[in-house]
Amino acid sequence: MNKQIIIDGEVVTYRPGQTLIQAARESGIYIPHLCYQPGYHAIGSCRVCMVKVNGRWASACTTLAAEGQVIDNRTLEVDAHRKQIVQMLFVEGNHYCPYCEKSGECDLQATAYELNMQEDHFQHLYPHRSLDTSHAEVWLDRDRCILCGLCVQASAEQDNKHLFTLGGRGTATQLLVNSSSGQLGETNISAADEAVAVCPVGALMKKQSIYSRRSGERTYDKTPISKLEFKA
Amino acid sequence: MIVSIANEYSVPVSEVRAIIDFYHFLSDKKNADYHFYFSNNIIDKMAHSDLLVLQLGERLNSIIQQDPSRVCLDETSCIGLADHAPAALVNGRPLPALNPQSIEEVAELVALGRPLDHWPAHLFQVRTRICRRSWLLNMSLPPGESLLSWQTKGSATILQELQASQLRGRGGAGFATALKWRSCEEQHSGEKYVICNADEGEPGTFKDRVMLSEHSDWLWEGMTLCAATVGASKGFLYLRAEYAYLLPQLETSLQVRRDTGWLGAALKERLGFEFDIQIVLGAGAYICGEESALLESLEGKRGIPRIRPPFPTISGYLRQPTVVNNVETFIHAAAIISKGSDSFLQLGTTQSKGTQLLSISGDCQRPGVYEYAFGETVEQILSDCGADEVQAVQIGGPSGQLLGPQSFHLTLGYEALGGSGSLMIFNHRRSLIEVVNNFTNFFAFESCGFCTPCRVGTALNQRMLTRLHLKQLRQHEIQLLEESVRLMQNSSHCGLGQSAGNSILNLLHDFPETVEQLLNTIGDDNEARLVQALQPAVQLRKS
């Protein structure tokens, strides 16, 4: 027997064991998210999928759907809250959308557009982060990394290579490469790895394939992120 | 070195690096011969720790220049000696109540290259100051008393008695102890664990240090009682690295328990179950006081709080059913079962039964540990410890609340002023922005970095508070500060981020005059001046 929750006034059915974001997705409802991707374990770190469940804040990717839940998702209040979290992600790193190779294909940028983000709002932290171009096929630009951990999971579980770890603490948290020098060049990463494909931003990029689509013809130029995940 | 550790334990190199980078006391370099960590809590700063660091630095400068591997001067978050401020650690040993004379002495010993074992004992002397005793500290608890009670009554009755006592966790969160134990007891699969959280990291607290020094046997009793009740055979004491100097005496007191038949294999004969306790040291991370982060740390990982549920009583250490309680909570449980809950229930308030240990520090005549029944007013406590001209108190540590005199009628208890029992006092000569700025720096340093709002929010708050302190922050930026704190309260993954901005909001809302004096108003009157300057033109146009 299917059970029901309500998201923004709409009745949504779920199966026991599903999280809010999984249930919503199956019903064609978009809950903004970055560190969660279907097919991956939810870790609940980016907090972009925060919703209000019966008036209390909760992350939709780690909260199980349960009978009686009434959920605010795309309300003014919740989206305003999310926008500020996305703004925090922007000021934390060094993001240069106008000339970023990932522009138009970037989930962070697309989510910012979806939430109508027009300014950074908070003071930029301007961190000093390192760029690793030591590998022939793939580069790692930590300036753009949002610490979602998707590449960590992908490399360990899908590529079977265990090439990445999140290390450090606080704002010094960073993506570490599993090699004695800490450089990508020493690893057996390949441009075809799922770890590269899953990166939602321009942190892990394939070399020699950049700017391959014109502005106006890029993925998110044509379809907003809220619609893209439901396109067949 | 990192590569050889990775090979030895068969883990990826990046994992080793990740852990070293996470814990403040770990490093990939060899420690200096004399590695000093000065406590940077506000209480130490108020006792001029900065000047003492400078003094020591000046005295040792030539040595450090010559050979940096000999001496390192570093700082760290509160080391649990706020009753002996200013304090530092040298190679893990405590240097309490430092002053210019003792710094001279220390500098001399370092210059001579004297090993720590040959330093005069008075330098390391931590005096226990228990200033007020009530229900718990007046008690005598012979070893085994609560265990014999368990033997006679059985687990079900013990759980009922604990529930009747309404004991709640003394670590800060205040969860009902009986519910925790019962939930673990009800699990029927897996090996169960009993873990004591002695990661007393909330700045300003030291009562667990005092209990570990004076009454460790009571703790072993409480943990063993818990193990008997829930059916666990293995226990851990997760001891913060800052208390590593207590290790020898704790190991000795554990051995006495084993030798007298109250722990280890001998228990089997006596009471029909086996249970032993192992002490594990932390490595410098406040977040590991959060119980699920503590479990991660105990498993040898970075201390990142887990997604809950499942709670530790169902899936804890190694995903097995686990009870995690604070030092004081285990001791209270043992005392309640030994002596019965009647006298305990007579003390306290409706929702907060019994007594609580307070760690009192800062501007007062008698800093130390005080035991109070819940329901006592802040005013009375301040009078008892000899605090005059009090401008504000921080209760519950930096994650608690900053109270001004208008709130001193409030009372101890989970209803209003719960938390870890830290009480820091600030008189009228102190600068509150310095206090709150210190707390904000603390959280930025200790945020684990897992979730966006806490990782970024603590860094943003730190920058804004520093600018407020320097009189650079403008009125409209106060709103940004509040937004950042609200975002952290609403969406952080764990309690650290949710509570990290409390004292900032207290400062903004309860001390508006202080904030007003700090705001940068230069140029605020520009608009008025512009209107005035344009007046002639306006007049001209009208005519």
Side-chain angles (χ1 to χ4, degrees):
Chain A
M1 231 297 279
N2 275 332
K3 297 175 175 243
Q4 296 179 335
I5 53 176
I6 294 170
I7 302 180
D8 291 340
E10 222 174 294
V11 175
V12 170
T13 57
Y14 71 92
R15 284 171 277 114
Q18 278 188 314
T19 60
L20 297 179
I21 208 165
Q22 287 169 333
R25 196 180 161 83
E26 277 186 18
S27 297
I29 292 174
Y30 171 69
I31 299 179
H33 56 94
L34 284 171
C35 74
Y36 169 76
Q37 289 298 335
Y40 288 82
H41 316 291
I43 61 167
S45 70
C46 78
R47 314 310 276 175
V48 170
C49 72
M50 295 299 288
V51 290
K52 267 189 147 175
V53 181
N54 301 333
R56 294 188 61 166
W57 291 101
S59 52
C61 71
T62 59
T63 305
L64 291 177
E67 204 74 61
Q69 286 171 335
V70 178
I71 291 149
D72 290 348
N73 174 30
R74 301 303 304 271
T75 61
L76 282 177
E77 183 198 13
V78 174
D79 266 358
H81 194 85
R82 280 186 189 128
K83 181 166 81 179
Q84 291 196 333
I85 295 198
V86 172
Q87 285 167 327
M88 279 188 162
L89 285 169
F90 268 95
V91 301
E92 178 193 25
N94 297 306
H95 296 278
Y96 22 83
C97 297
Y99 55 95
C100 175
E101 298 85 343
K102 191 83 170 201
S103 226
E105 314 282 345
C106 168
D107 289 356
L108 178 67
Q109 184 191 43
T111 306
Y113 276 126
E114 177 70 31
L115 296 170
N116 198 25
M117 176 181 143
Q118 313 217 338
E119 36 104 41
D120 295 322
H121 201 62
F122 297 110
Q123 189 188 352
H124 275 265
L125 301 185
Y126 294 123
H128 292 279
R129 293 183 178 174
S130 60
L131 172 69
D132 182 348
T133 59
S134 59
H135 193 271
E137 295 176 25
V138 178
W139 88 68
L140 166 59
D141 185 354
R142 292 189 176 86
D143 271 343
R144 307 178 229 181
C145 176
I146 57 168
L147 308 170
C148 67
L150 286 168
C151 61
V152 178
Q153 269 193 59
S155 184
E157 289 164 27
Q158 307 200 27
D159 304 331
N160 278 316
K161 293 184 181 176
H162 293 274
L163 294 185
F164 299 106
T165 311
L166 286 173
R169 127 177 150 193
T171 47
T173 304
Q174 59 168 331
L175 188 64
L176 298 174
V177 176
N178 180 24
S179 69
S180 55
S181 64
Q183 297 276 303
L184 265 186
E186 242 187 280
T187 69
N188 61 344
I189 195 167
S190 129
D193 278 4
E194 186 57 29
V196 180
V198 78
C199 180
V201 291
L204 276 171
M205 296 277 289
K206 286 179 207 173
K207 285 184 174 175
Q208 295 167 350
S209 64
I210 57 169
Y211 300 127
S212 53
R213 277 193 264 188
R214 287 170 185 280
S215 178
E217 290 169 12
R218 303 166 306 183
T219 307
Y220 290 124
D221 294 336
K222 295 182 192 156
T223 318
I225 192 166
S226 56
K227 300 283 186 299
L228 189 80
E229 57 181 49
F230 302 108
K231 269 177 99 172
Chain B
M1 187 165 89
I2 290 178
V3 177
S4 65
I5 294 174
N7 290 339
E8 189 180 335
Y9 291 93
S10 304
V11 291
V13 186
S14 51
E15 295 284 346
V16 180
R17 207 167 265 138
I19 284 165
I20 290 174
D21 291 351
F22 185 85
Y23 293 99
H24 186 45
F25 295 141
L26 299 185
S27 165
D28 59 352
K29 292 173 195 69
K30 194 177 166 294
N31 269 345
D33 297 344
Y34 300 94
H35 198 118
F36 292 88
Y37 283 104
F38 280 81
S39 177
N40 64 13
N41 185 21
I42 185 66
I43 301 298
D44 299 276
K45 299 271 184 188
M46 280 162 30
H48 309 297
S49 61
D50 285 346
L51 290 175
L52 299 178
V53 177
L54 275 179
Q55 187 193 343
L56 189 60
E58 261 172 39
R59 289 283 279 103
L60 299 177
N61 190 28
S62 59
I63 296 177
I64 297 170
Q65 295 291 336
Q66 241 172 40
D67 182 2
S69 75
R70 281 185 66 192
V71 184
C72 178
L73 300 188
D74 205 343
E75 60 177 305
T76 194
S77 304
C78 183
I79 59 173
L81 286 167
D83 52 343
H84 293 75
L89 295 168
V90 57
N91 299 0
R93 298 202 201 187
L95 292 170
L98 288 164
N99 56 52
Q101 291 77 39
S102 58
I103 288 287
E104 278 305 308
E105 203 176 344
V106 165
E108 195 62 37
L109 290 161
V110 171
L112 291 169
R114 187 78 47 89
L116 290 183
D117 284 339
H118 298 142
W119 287 23
H122 74 89
L123 286 172
F124 305 121
Q125 187 75 48
V126 177
R127 286 185 181 80
T128 300
R129 294 199 189 101
I130 296 180
C131 304
R132 192 174 192 279
R133 294 168 189 273
S134 174
W135 185 80
L136 183 69
L137 294 173
N138 278 326
M139 201 171 275
S140 88
L141 273 177
E145 192 173 349
S146 75
L147 295 174
L148 292 174
S149 179
W150 170 82
Q151 191 181 32
T152 326
K153 297 171 178 168
S155 295
T157 310
I158 296 295
L159 286 171
Q160 275 166 19
E161 286 185 9
L162 210 54
Q163 187 156 359
S165 77
Q166 300 174 49
L167 176 64
R168 293 170 66 173
R170 297 294 196 253
F175 194 77
T177 308
L179 282 183
K180 235 184 211 185
W181 289 23
R182 190 185 297 279
S183 165
C184 185
E185 192 265 339
E186 283 168 353
Q187 304 308 310
H188 293 299
S189 63
E191 185 172 351
K192 297 177 185 178
Y193 295 94
V194 171
I195 293 170
C196 175
N197 181 347
D199 193 51
E200 186 178 41
E202 192 69 41
T205 44
F206 46 81
K207 46 102 181 170
D208 288 347
R209 182 201 88 221
V210 170
M211 295 311 275
L212 290 166
S213 312
E214 301 290 306
H215 296 295
S216 57
D217 192 71
W218 295 0
L219 172 60
W220 311 140
E221 178 84 15
M223 289 176 73
T224 314
L225 172 69
C226 178
T229 308
V230 305
S233 58
K234 178 105 188 116
F236 291 101
L237 175 73
Y238 186 93
L239 183 68
R240 68 187 304 226
E242 291 83 346
Y243 292 170
Y245 57 87
L246 297 177
L247 210 48
Q249 70 184 79
L250 289 172
E251 291 288 5
T252 307
S253 102
L254 274 178
Q255 194 52 46
V256 170
R257 291 279 296 187
R258 290 187 196 107
D259 294 345
T260 51
W262 292 115
L263 198 64
L267 264 182
K268 181 106 187 159
E269 256 170 63
R270 195 170 206 160
L271 298 172
F273 72 100
E274 235 182 286
F275 178 68
D276 211 333
I277 297 169
Q278 184 188 340
I279 303 175
V280 176
L281 280 179
Y286 166 73
I287 188 62
C288 294
E290 197 279 343
E291 64 177 8
S292 68
L294 183 151
L295 294 170
E296 289 286 296
S297 179
L298 203 57
E299 291 179 12
K301 305 176 198 155
R302 294 197 302 153
I304 305 288
R306 293 177 180 171
I307 295 167
R308 301 185 304 170
F311 290 95
T313 51
I314 292 162
S315 175
Y317 180 62
L318 304 177
R319 306 284 156 181
Q320 303 300 307
T322 305
V323 172
V324 185
N325 274 150
N326 166 264
V327 175
E328 190 185 337
T329 312
F330 276 124
I331 292 178
H332 261 104
I336 287 166
I337 297 306
S338 295
K339 310 296 178 191
S341 58
D342 290 350
S343 57
F344 181 83
L345 280 166
Q346 280 165 15
L347 297 166
T349 66
T350 326
Q351 288 176 47
S352 315
K353 296 297 178 194
T355 63
Q356 184 187 20
L357 301 178
L358 293 186
S359 311
I360 298 184
S361 66
D363 294 318
C364 64
Q365 287 163 29
R366 292 173 294 279
V369 171
Y370 289 70
E371 183 183 9
Y372 279 103
F374 286 112
E376 191 58 85
T377 63
V378 174
E379 205 162 23
Q380 183 61 47
I381 296 166
L382 291 175
S383 147
D384 291 350
C385 67
D388 298 323
E389 298 183 354
V390 179
Q391 179 183 193
V393 301
Q394 180 74 25
I395 189 159
S399 65
Q401 299 177 61
L402 181 69
L403 304 178
Q406 74 278 9
S407 307
F408 290 173
H409 64 280
L410 293 177
T411 55
L412 287 184
Y414 298 102
E415 298 92 330
L417 308 175
S420 56
S422 158
L423 186 86
M424 297 185 271
I425 304 169
F426 310 105
N427 68 23
H428 281 289
R429 289 183 301 283
R430 305 297 176 187
S431 140
L432 287 188
I433 180 64
E434 209 171 311
V435 172
V436 178
N437 202 2
N438 179 276
F439 296 160
T440 310
N441 288 338
F442 166 76
F443 285 117
F445 185 73
E446 296 292 350
S447 166
C448 81
F450 172 76
C451 75
T452 312
C454 178
R455 184 179 68 239
V456 185
T458 52
L460 289 171
N461 294 349
Q462 182 182 33
R463 281 160 176 76
M464 286 190 272
L465 260 287
T466 303
R467 290 181 54 230
L468 184 62
H469 196 174
L470 296 171
K471 300 194 173 184
Q472 292 174 353
L473 206 69
R474 306 190 71 93
Q475 178 68 51
H476 72 270
E477 291 175 289
I478 295 290
Q479 193 193 331
L480 281 181
L481 185 56
E482 293 212 36
E483 282 172 2
S484 163
V485 172
R486 296 282 178 215
L487 214 54
M488 290 164 67
Q489 284 182 336
N490 294 335
S491 25
S492 291
H493 174 61
C494 81
L496 190 157
Q498 286 159 14
S499 60
N502 288 352
S503 61
I504 297 176
L505 293 187
N506 288 150
L507 179 73
L508 296 180
H509 298 158
D510 302 339
F511 300 89
E513 300 87 9
T514 308
V515 177
E516 204 167 301
Q517 282 168 14
L518 287 164
L519 286 175
N520 176 3
T521 55
I522 299 169
D524 272 7
D525 53 350
N526 276 358
E527 200 177 337
R529 279 162 51 203
L530 189 66
V531 170
Q532 202 182 358
L534 290 174
Q535 268 307 309
V538 174
Q539 288 300 330
L540 209 61
R541 215 181 127 207
K542 275 185 184 163
S543 63

